[in-house]
Amino acid sequence: MKTVIIKYNAGNVQSVMYALERIGAGYLWTDDEQEIRTADRVIFPGVGEASTAMAYLRDKGLDRIIPTLKQPVLGTCVGMQLLCRSSEENNTTAMGIFPVDVKRFPAGDQKVPHVGWNNLTNLRSELTAGMSDNPYVYFVHSYAAPVCAYTVATCEYMVPFSAMLQKDNFYAAQFHAEISGKEGQQILENFLKLS
Amino acid sequence: MLTKRIIPCLDIKDGRTVKGTNFVNLRDAGDPVALGALYAEQGADELVFLDITATVDNRKTLVDLVRNVARHVNIPFTVGGGISSVADVSALLNAGADKISINSSAVRRPELINELALQFGSQCIVVAIDTREVPGESGIEHVVHTHGGRKPTDLRTIPWAKEAQERGAGEILLTSMDADGTKAGFALALTAEVSGSLSIPVIASGGAGTMEHFTEVFTTGKADAGLAASIFHFREIGIPELKSYLKGEGISVRP
């Protein structure tokens, strides 16, 4: 099986690579269109700021390629946000696979960014099969997608938000499965096992 | 619900953990990778590795260590000690560190915080503040120290923490030098004041001696995370028992 990690200016892709190595999965880190199109699995990681990441994707033409992919695609963190319609972070227009707009957490008495381990509820994805009922996973983000028709896992921090989204062959997680202990590892294993 | 984080801290010298540990089940207690993996297995929420030698010669050793930790540990970890440039941070993040911590270099040149936040995002920039109580003209002042606590500065803790946040720090690691090593509890009033002044998370460090100290730092101290070293290394407190105790006290923790 060929798993491709999309190469762009996202930070700390190394953690994703090591997480795949820990479960014995090979991968290719590339921005080559042909390699991406012929992959069995595509991981679209992301750490950083939305508008910069989106500008980079446009520059490389990746913003046109990603929405046309037919194999299972997993977007994580900012990768997930860029699969949505837009992000409030510097008014970024994103790829629009999920028809939902990413918002900043409301100003309140809670701290932003939302940093640390929080639990998932309303699990409805193949990717969460085999996890505990309300698994804890690691989040670091200031922006989040509201709960919508494509939400397959919910998390709550001041407001409920989409911890995971799913539509056709597109899967997305706001948290960092690659550093979320055994529970996170289960999600990556499930993604690689999708038929 | 977002949980309070328990963070063991490992001091590193020449690629090995120092201060000693008391883990009979570890083949090599000086191996930071084995110790980090053990803590992760036991339920630690994050790890901090502090390079206490931090000389230029040791940089390559540290990068190699970070690569090994990232390979074997499946929870987030922070690396600190002697980091003073965008290039340093780039090397450590590329090796697999999730966050880096800066201290003296940020005091020397605060713009470094802005540069790092812009380049790598605030989420991975921890500003560590070592603070000590010093009698001033109008009472006790909380003076920021650098160089492993050896050098006092002109900075005061609360304004400096706020400035670090303004410049793009994602978290503050607050160490009370007065409490550190005493095992008499965290500096609760100061931690609460810093946490209350900021909109970013505060990791409290220094003084942990009992499980009750963690309850206090999360309630009275308003800390988002509690860091400790020797009580974990010498197995005075086990992470599973600490977490189950905190849960019983009504503190939200990850099982």
Side-chain angles (χ1 to χ4, degrees):
Chain A
M1 188 171 72
K2 182 165 125 190
T3 302
V4 156
I5 301 173
I6 294 182
K7 185 176 186 174
Y8 70 116
N9 65 334
N12 205 8
V13 176
Q14 197 62 58
S15 298
V16 178
M17 295 177 181
Y18 285 141
L20 291 177
E21 283 176 23
R22 280 195 294 273
I23 57 176
Y27 58 82
L28 189 65
W29 183 40
T30 182
D31 59 3
D32 180 84
E33 176 170 354
Q34 213 41 43
E35 295 284 10
I36 296 170
R37 286 205 186 282
T38 56
D40 301 299
R41 295 284 181 276
V42 175
I43 296 178
F44 177 44
V47 171
E49 191 275 319
S51 70
T52 312
M54 200 59 215
Y56 190 91
L57 291 177
R58 281 199 194 95
D59 192 45
K60 297 274 176 190
L62 291 165
D63 65 315
R64 288 177 297 103
I65 298 167
I66 293 168
T68 63
L69 294 175
K70 300 292 176 228
Q71 65 275 60
V73 177
L74 175 63
T76 64
C77 198
V78 174
M80 162 167 167
Q81 298 181 0
L82 297 182
L83 294 176
C84 296
R85 189 164 48 201
S86 72
S87 169
E88 251 182 18
E89 189 171 21
N90 293 313
N91 296 314
T92 306
T93 302
M95 287 183 274
I97 287 155
F98 301 110
V100 58
D101 301 307
V102 173
K103 308 273 184 212
R104 192 178 163 86
F105 280 115
D109 55 349
Q110 303 279 338
K111 293 179 176 181
V112 175
H114 171 221
V115 179
W117 298 81
N118 202 334
N119 60 324
L120 307 179
T121 54
N122 304 318
L123 305 182
R124 289 194 301 273
S125 168
E126 309 97 287
L127 295 194
T128 51
M131 296 176 85
S132 57
D133 284 346
N134 293 297
Y136 282 89
V137 290
Y138 189 81
F139 290 87
V140 185
H141 60 128
S142 299
Y143 297 80
V147 173
C148 66
Y150 301 100
T151 304
V152 289
T154 309
C155 183
E156 189 162 341
Y157 188 64
M158 291 186 273
V159 292
F161 67 89
S162 293
M164 296 177 79
L165 292 169
Q166 192 171 320
K167 185 189 173 201
D168 307 324
N169 58 317
F170 288 93
Y171 299 77
Q174 177 59 61
F175 50 88
H176 291 273
E178 69 277 11
I179 47 172
S180 288
K182 289 205 177 81
E183 303 277 22
Q185 185 171 316
Q186 181 75 59
I187 287 180
L188 294 176
E189 285 175 357
N190 289 344
F191 176 67
L192 296 179
K193 276 193 296 210
L194 286 173
S195 52
Chain B
M1 190 176 181
L2 182 65
T3 57
K4 300 291 189 182
R5 288 170 280 157
I6 301 295
I7 309 180
C9 177
L10 287 73
D11 284 346
I12 305 295
K13 189 180 178 195
D14 304 325
R16 310 274 297 165
T17 45
V18 292
K19 271 191 183 172
T21 57
N22 183 22
F23 281 95
V24 287
N25 52 338
L26 278 185
R27 197 179 303 162
D28 175 2
D31 176 7
V33 180
L35 188 55
L38 178 68
Y39 285 138
E41 184 69 26
Q42 291 177 337
D45 296 306
E46 266 181 72
L47 299 169
V48 170
F49 293 88
L50 278 187
D51 182 9
I52 58 168
T53 41
T55 62
V56 175
D57 290 347
N58 281 320
R59 283 287 118 181
K60 200 190 157 302
T61 316
L62 185 65
V63 169
D64 288 343
L65 170 69
V66 166
R67 196 168 286 124
N68 263 321
V69 171
R71 215 168 243 145
H72 294 98
V73 170
N74 59 9
I75 59 170
F77 71 97
T78 302
V79 179
I83 296 169
S84 61
S85 69
V86 168
D88 288 344
V89 172
S90 185
L92 294 167
L93 293 179
N94 284 334
D98 298 294
K99 309 177 192 178
I100 58 87
S101 154
I102 51 174
N103 188 335
S104 304
S105 59
V107 171
R108 193 161 52 237
R109 205 172 64 79
E111 299 76 26
L112 180 63
I113 306 171
N114 305 69
E115 293 165 13
L116 295 177
L118 187 68
Q119 182 93 15
F120 306 105
S122 291
Q123 81 290 333
C124 65
I125 311 301
V126 179
V127 171
I129 301 177
D130 291 341
T131 175
R132 173 173 276 165
E133 292 187 358
V134 175
E137 282 166 19
S138 51
I140 293 290
E141 295 190 13
H142 296 284
V143 176
V144 176
H145 282 60
T146 59
H147 298 81
R150 291 189 298 276
K151 276 176 75 171
T153 69
D154 294 334
L155 298 172
R156 297 298 174 263
T157 299
I158 303 277
W160 173 233
K162 283 185 181 168
E163 181 179 345
Q165 171 179 289
E166 290 301 307
R167 289 182 180 276
E171 286 178 273
I172 298 293
L173 167 52
L174 181 73
T175 301
S176 161
M177 296 164 56
D178 304 292
D180 200 27
T182 63
K183 295 195 179 176
F186 292 95
L188 298 178
L190 178 65
T191 304
E193 199 181 344
V194 172
S195 189
S197 310
L198 301 180
S199 59
I200 56 175
V202 172
I203 304 162
S205 156
T210 66
M211 298 201 282
E212 289 79 1
H213 292 154
F214 285 90
T215 311
E216 290 168 4
V217 84
F218 292 140
T219 52
T220 316
K222 298 187 167 64
D224 300 282
L227 178 144
S230 59
I231 54 158
F232 296 133
H233 301 333
F234 291 101
R235 294 195 302 175
E236 290 162 27
I237 295 176
I239 293 169
E241 60 170 329
L242 174 58
K243 287 205 155 178
S244 111
Y245 167 82
L246 290 172
K247 193 175 175 211
E249 292 290 298
I251 310 267
S252 168
V253 288
R254 180 176 71 115

